[in-house]
Amino acid sequence: MLRSQAVHPVYVLRWFFGDVAQVSAVIADRHVQGVQGDETALVTLRFASGLLAHMTATFGLGRGPSDHTFTVYGSQGYLRSTWRSKGSAGTERVLAVLKNSASGEPEELPLPEDLGQVASLRRMWEDYAEAIIIGSSARVAAADGHAAIGLIETAYLSAGTSGTPIEVADLAPSSAI
């Protein structure tokens, strides 16, 4: 589950916050859906900047209120991105940027219209194709993929030691992120 699902948010987290200094993770022993291998994990990433990120990843819930949700909190407010089912019409991305206002109540800021998950995937593949055709770098480079997989593998190492935090700099060169 970490390799197949949680690796995607790791790309986003690294893009937002930079290099990860430390990883800790725990994997639940109990299975709800009967999935082979890991089904639910909690992962904490400490970035070189000192910021913290927490990820919950599970196959134990088919759909839920926080399905594919990403929330970033800051001193000026927060950003929340999630996917919402539209039934037979597919899914839609729901974004909310809330800024702290003078009244103390969050104020929602307008965002550009999202074109949907299919359009997002199409843009990704078009970016890869363009990079191959003209010989440029894609927005997501091979090094980004290597780093994301390395962080997931580090989460598994931590989970194998009951959640002991692992310093990324302490990893062997072949595992370095």
Side-chain angles (χ1 to χ4, degrees), residues 45-117:
L45 305 170
R46 183 174 51 82
F47 291 84
S49 65
L51 291 170
L52 290 175
H54 177 77
M55 293 191 315
T56 301
T58 186
F59 284 149
L61 180 65
R63 296 305 258 174
S66 296
D67 193 29
H68 299 283
T69 297
F70 187 91
T71 307
V72 177
Y73 298 94
S75 60
Q76 300 296 310
Y78 67 92
L79 165 79
R80 182 174 178 89
S81 169
T82 191
W83 290 99
R84 176 173 55 207
S85 174
K86 292 172 57 177
S88 62
T91 59
E92 67 179 338
R93 177 168 295 282
V94 180
L95 289 170
V97 176
L98 289 107
K99 179 182 176 191
N100 296 331
S101 65
S103 69
E105 293 297 317
E107 169 188 334
E108 188 166 347
L109 300 177
L111 292 168
E113 181 182 348
D114 181 67
L115 300 177
Q117 191 171 16

Side-chain angles (χ1 to χ4, degrees), residues 11 14 127-128 137-147:
Y11 276 106
R14 287 190 68 250
D127 181 59
Y128 290 150
S137 296
R139 287 182 208 144
V140 178
D144 296 316
H146 182 263

Side-chain angles (χ1 to χ4, degrees), residues 20 34 40 51 86 108 156 168:
V20 174
T40 300
L51 291 170
K86 292 172 57 177
E108 188 166 347
Y156 279 116
V168 173

